[in-house]
């Protein structure tokens, strides 16, 4: 993602009906990432986010999270192979989340995101929080329905600002995490 900001960086948050194909896409990407990131993986690759929750409307972007020893080392040493698979590294200063290294996989047009890769250091609290959020929603259809309604409302309210959409969900996420056990192993 050097130089000009790519079109997918400004893609608005569009919520779509649940698609069973998201699970298969996540599985295929996870298998490939396990090979590419294998030398550095600690706790594997996990499908997270809304596409990982059955019956939850979502942006059609599969979120994957990989637990590694040092995300900076992995981002540097696996860069060429990730790029060959279509992954674009987002510079840490643009991502604004110093605890991870972030990659986006756009579609062939370069306009739409199809997947995200979050590289997290092994044992990071965010790893456990992401899994706890996903698993709590998977277990509670009522909570999932509330989240679906919120997402649709916020996607309309923040149609031109993907980051504002994400920030606006934070109170709900905190509420869900307050109900879950995210202590880790």
């Amino acid at each position: 993602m050097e130089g000009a900001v790519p079109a997918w960086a400004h893609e608005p948050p569009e919520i779509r009906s649940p698609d069973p194909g998201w699970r298969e896409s996540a599985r295929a990407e996870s298998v490939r990432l396990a090979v590419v990131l294998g030398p550095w993986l600690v706790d594997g690759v996990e499908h997270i986010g809304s596409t990982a929750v059955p019956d939850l409307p979502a942006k059609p972007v599969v979120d994957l999270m990989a637990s590694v020893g040092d995300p900076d080392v992995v981002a540097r040493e696996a860069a060429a192979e990730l790029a060959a698979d279509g992954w674009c590294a987002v510079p840490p200063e643009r991502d604004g989340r110093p605890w991870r290294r972030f990659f986006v996989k756009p579609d062939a047009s370069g306009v739409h995101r199809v997947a995200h890769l979050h590289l997290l250091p092994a044992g990071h609290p965010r790893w456990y929080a992401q899994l706890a959020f996903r698993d709590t929603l998977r277990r509670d259809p009522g909570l999932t329905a509330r989240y679906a309604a919120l997402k649709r409302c916020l996607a309309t309210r923040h149609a031109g600002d993907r980051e504002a959409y994400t920030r606006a969900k934070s109170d709900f996420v905190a509420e869900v995490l307050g109900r879950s056990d995210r202590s880790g192993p």
Side-chain angles (χ1 to χ4, degrees), residues 1-2 71-72 75 89-102:
M1 194 173 131
E2 300 294 325
D72 288 320
V90 176
E93 61 277 3
R94 284 200 181 158
D95 181 37
R97 293 163 182 94
W99 39 266
R100 74 171 183 193
R101 290 301 161 259
F102 187 59

Side-chain angles (χ1 to χ4, degrees), residues 10-32:
H10 299 291
E11 183 178 14
E14 178 189 345
I15 304 300
R16 295 200 187 150
S17 296
D19 181 344
W22 293 334
R23 182 176 294 173
E24 181 53 33
S25 294
R27 189 198 67 71
E29 287 289 354
S30 293
V31 166
R32 177 65 185 142

Side-chain angles (χ1 to χ4, degrees), residues 7 12 21 27 30 38 45 73 108 123 125 149 152 165-166 168 175:
R27 189 198 67 71
S30 293
V45 178
V73 169
R152 285 187 177 111
Y165 163 81
T166 299
E175 174 192 336

